[in-house]
Amino acid sequence: MNLKQFEKVAHRAFEEIPQEYREGVDGLTVRAEALPHPLHPDIYTMGMCLTESYPSDWMGPDTTRSVVVLYHGSFEALAELDPSFDWKEQLWETLTHELRHHLESLANEDGLEGVDYALEESFKRFEGEEFDPLYFQSGDSMGRGIYQVEEDFYLEQVWTEKDFESAALVHFWWHGRRYRIPRPEDLGDVHFVLVEGVDVGPGALELVLLRRRSGLRGLRDLVRGRPMEVLESEVQAELLEEAE
């Protein structure tokens, strides 16, 4: 899709979004250039929400104004990397993503920034770089101890050293079904267990086993700058029962 076609499709999609979700947005700008990630190859910024707030005792569309920017060159670069790249679908997802930034600015929230941080740290992890072992907690909370980062899900379990060593199996529930897996050999501080055999759609499911540390031990490790021991493993889950 060339620049002229992209601009036409983008503005049409922008106008199709209900006005209530565009309140305080002054418009859409399409830039020709690509915006590559400064450190990671094949990663591009597809859009941005440029927001400016004006001094006021209250926040709202009259004091918080935004412009959504789309980078045609980034779309073009990703399309060259992926033959199945769907221009219209990615354009729509980028538009709604950036508009959510604006709406959260109106509400003085930063939830999406947390999701973006989780995605960035997830990418570092799978590239073998240093990453925040608790990045998943910045994703969307789906309930107590359940987090979603894009299409992937994380189930958090906290274990004491004693309970972990005495357990032979690890149990968990997913969508009304109870599963079990063999207990990993080591707990570590954070242990990511990629679980196979559970239907989670296009994404992945990971159990995240966390070591419970006493307040004193946690403070001591923080002062000493002790890094977390992060482990990873993969296992096949066994279905035990379904909820009645």
Side-chain angles (χ1 to χ4, degrees):
M1 188 182 294
N2 61 37
L3 177 60
K4 187 174 181 179
Q5 293 170 327
F6 183 81
E7 286 182 314
K8 185 176 181 180
V9 173
H11 283 286
R12 184 185 300 129
F14 183 75
E15 293 299 326
E16 289 177 356
I17 296 173
Q19 181 61 39
E20 61 188 289
Y21 299 110
R22 294 187 281 126
E23 189 175 9
V25 179
D26 291 330
L28 169 69
T29 298
V30 174
R31 304 282 296 269
E33 67 267 25
L35 198 63
H37 193 284
L39 299 177
H40 305 298
D42 301 338
I43 299 294
Y44 293 84
T45 295
M46 303 171 75
M48 295 183 68
C49 181
L50 306 180
T51 301
E52 186 172 0
S53 297
Y54 301 92
S56 175
D57 293 334
W58 58 279
M59 297 292 290
D62 293 332
T63 62
T64 303
R65 313 296 299 183
S66 298
V67 174
V68 174
V69 181
L70 298 180
Y71 295 92
H72 173 261
S74 294
F75 281 77
E76 195 170 46
L78 291 174
E80 291 177 358
L81 292 170
D82 181 5
S84 64
F85 185 83
D86 189 322
W87 283 77
K88 291 184 178 180
E89 179 181 347
Q90 292 299 324
L91 192 154
W92 180 260
E93 287 187 5
T94 304
L95 267 179
T96 54
H97 178 95
E98 300 309 330
L99 284 173
R100 184 179 164 190
H101 273 298
H102 172 75
L103 294 173
E104 290 188 341
S105 295
L106 293 183
N108 198 26
E109 296 178 355
D110 61 358
L112 197 59
E113 280 75 10
V115 174
D116 287 344
Y117 172 78
L119 286 171
E120 178 79 9
E121 294 301 303
S122 175
F123 180 82
K124 290 179 183 178
R125 174 191 170 194
F126 291 106
E127 285 293 303
E129 301 176 10
E130 290 188 6
F131 67 97
D132 176 1
L134 301 179
Y135 70 87
F136 61 92
Q137 294 178 345
S138 295
D140 290 318
S141 176
M142 311 301 291
R144 186 174 182 180
I146 306 173
Y147 302 92
Q148 182 176 3
V149 179
E150 206 165 46
E151 295 177 335
D152 298 331
F153 294 89
Y154 300 80
L155 301 184
E156 180 184 270
Q157 294 186 1
V158 180
W159 290 78
T160 65
E161 187 81 34
K162 180 179 179 181
D163 288 342
F164 184 80
E165 291 297 332
S166 63
L169 300 165
V170 174
H171 294 82
F172 65 93
W173 288 86
W174 181 254
H175 282 210
R177 295 181 173 183
R178 185 167 176 254
Y179 295 87
R180 71 181 181 188
I181 61 171
R183 190 213 72 188
E185 183 176 350
D186 298 308
L187 177 58
D189 290 312
V190 182
H191 193 144
F192 292 93
V193 183
L194 178 62
V195 179
E196 301 289 352
V198 180
D199 183 12
V200 292
L205 174 66
E206 290 195 83
L207 282 181
V208 187
L209 309 181
L210 304 179
R211 181 198 304 272
R212 184 187 298 279
R213 297 190 292 177
S214 68
L216 180 60
R217 177 178 175 182
L219 287 173
R220 185 185 302 118
D221 290 344
L222 181 63
V223 170
R224 294 177 177 175
R226 174 183 175 273
M228 287 187 176
E229 181 185 10
V230 181
L231 304 176
E232 296 178 289
S233 60
E234 183 176 341
V235 70
Q236 185 76 23
E238 178 185 358
L239 175 63
L240 295 179
E241 61 180 294
E242 297 191 23
E244 295 181 358

